Amino acid sequence: MIDGKKIGVGIVTYNRKAGLFKLYQSLPRDIIDALIVVNDGAYYPELAELDCYLHHNEINQGVGRSKNIALRYLQAENVDHFFLIEDDIFVKDPAVFAQYISLSARTGIQHFNFSQHGDKNMLADGTPKPCYTMDYGDFSMPIYNACVGAFCYYSRKCLDKVGLMDEIYYNAVEHLDHTYAVIKAGFHPSYHYFPDIENSGNYLGDEGWSPQQSTISGKLSSRAISLVAATHFQEKHGCLPPKIPLVSIDALKKELAALKKKYATTSAVS
């Protein structure tokens, strides 16, 4: 627990044994109240060594359905703070969970995505590249253009209102669609503005994602999967994610002020 609230972690893994165990061993188990691993790939005996709830999909379900399996389990465990983690992330600093919970409490934002997975939110030298930094006076919050879904935080309030992933998305776009739903529900600033904790790369490690090494994107079928996902998103929302209208910085600041006024609490964790 943190600040008397239950912490839940859901891990989704697909045929990446080394990455899964690196992540599992990096977790601060003393603060995690509920932990589930959803194995969406081949079964291997070492999975039985995990000291947590293990759900093995007998038939590959895809990342959207697998994330929902994890979230439903955590909801049944009456978790207050939900973290979804994919198997190419690992924890560098166990304070990462408190940092996200604290940022939510201080800003009112109910959902965050770790920005530093892959290179979409970085300069060529690996330096974080925020599109804007919000100054709250006693702290700052970087905001990034790209939505990356390998490590996500949700409050209970958020999931109770928004619901879970759209399971039509098999192995692509599920996090974009779900974050967009969170935005439409008023728990997150407008699309193209994805806030994160400061120096998040000091708290979480990234296995260096690329299409070549990804057990999902490396498949020959990945283009077809992405096309189906993009088509569904466009039919559902009227445009593809890059074409969602971009609001001004002034409008963004008003949204952030409204979120803070409506949802921020005084129970921030240091």
Side-chain angles (χ1 to χ4, degrees), residues 64-203:
R65 290 184 179 181
S66 295
K67 287 180 176 179
N68 280 353
I69 290 168
L71 290 172
R72 289 190 188 101
Y73 172 81
L74 297 177
Q75 286 179 321
E77 292 294 307
N78 294 313
V79 162
D80 298 293
H81 301 291
F82 296 73
F83 293 88
L84 278 181
I85 314 178
E86 297 181 7
D87 59 10
D88 49 358
I89 296 291
F90 60 92
V91 175
K92 290 181 179 178
D93 186 336
V96 64
F97 298 96
Q99 288 294 316
Y100 277 104
I101 292 168
S102 176
L103 190 61
S104 178
R106 299 173 84 182
T107 64
I109 298 168
Q110 303 295 301
H111 167 52
F112 295 101
N113 295 289
F114 170 54
S115 63
Q116 301 303 295
H117 178 60
D119 59 4
K120 292 183 178 180
N121 291 313
M122 296 180 183
L123 298 173
D125 64 359
T127 303
K129 185 181 67 174
C131 62
Y132 182 71
T133 299
M134 181 65 180
D135 183 2
Y136 284 92
D138 56 339
F139 70 99
S140 297
M141 180 181 71
I143 299 173
Y144 297 86
N145 282 140
C147 180
V148 191
F151 181 103
C152 304
Y153 164 77
Y154 302 91
S155 70
R156 180 195 285 189
K157 183 194 306 290
C158 175
L159 291 181
D160 284 350
K161 175 70 174 181
V162 175
L164 306 185
M165 308 277 172
D166 183 338
E167 295 188 355
I168 290 179
Y169 297 105
Y170 175 62
N171 274 335
V173 187
E174 84 291 335
H175 66 285
L176 302 181
D177 179 87
H178 196 241
T179 294
Y180 196 28
V182 173
I183 291 167
K184 288 182 172 182
F187 293 128
H188 183 289
S190 286
Y191 203 88
H192 306 295
Y193 296 115
F194 303 102
D196 198 4
I197 60 174
E198 280 196 285
N199 303 311
S200 58
N202 293 340
Y203 294 90

